[in-house]
Amino acid sequence: MLGILHSYPFCIVKSLALRYNPFVRLDLFLKTTRLVKRRTVAQEMCDAGKVLVNGSPAKSAKEVRPGDILRLSYASRTIDIEVLGVPASSKNIKTPPEELYRVTRDQWLQREDRSPG
């Protein structure tokens, strides 16, 4: 019986690892799509409540999926974004940011600290 088992060749087949993520962390999405310059800035914005995902405040570890609506409140403007896709990797991204999100509203805020005269 042992001779029969050893005479059959065998191999281990590993499944192909696809480079597709169904979701990505919010702070990594903001950094990779270049909506913010650094990941720490994205984390600070989330902690301050300046990032909303589907209408509710989100932490930096929130999972972002295609179809989500993000609202980013910067000092001088507010941007609404629809997520079209998520990057496969946060390093050496080759996908243009315009293919990952679409700006649905871009509102510049007027400064109220200016006094007339």
Side-chain angles (χ1 to χ4, degrees), residues 10-25:
F10 69 93
C11 65
I12 298 173
V13 178
K14 293 183 179 178
S15 63
L16 296 174
L18 300 176
R19 302 277 305 162
Y20 172 75
N21 294 332
F23 60 87
V24 69
R25 285 176 56 111

Side-chain angles (χ1 to χ4, degrees), residues 12 16-19 34 43 45-46 65 72 110:
I12 298 173
L16 296 174
L18 300 176
R19 302 277 305 162
R34 300 179 200 107
Q43 290 173 340
M45 286 179 67
C46 292
R65 293 184 161 93
L72 305 173
Q110 294 182 353

Side-chain angles (χ1 to χ4, degrees), residues 50-62:
K50 296 184 178 188
V51 180
L52 303 178
V53 176
N54 297 325
S56 60
K59 295 185 178 181
S60 59
K62 171 80 174 160

Side-chain angles (χ1 to χ4, degrees), residues 37-86:
K37 194 168 185 173
R38 292 184 309 262
R39 185 175 171 192
T40 55
V41 174
Q43 290 173 340
E44 291 170 359
M45 286 179 67
C46 292
D47 291 340
K50 296 184 178 188
V51 180
L52 303 178
V53 176
N54 297 325
S56 60
K59 295 185 178 181
S60 59
K62 171 80 174 160
E63 297 173 348
V64 176
R65 293 184 161 93
D68 285 345
I69 304 296
L70 306 180
R71 175 171 284 177
L72 305 173
S73 299
Y74 296 104
S76 60
R77 69 190 224 185
T78 301
I79 302 175
D80 287 347
I81 294 169
E82 179 184 359
V83 178
L84 302 176
V86 293

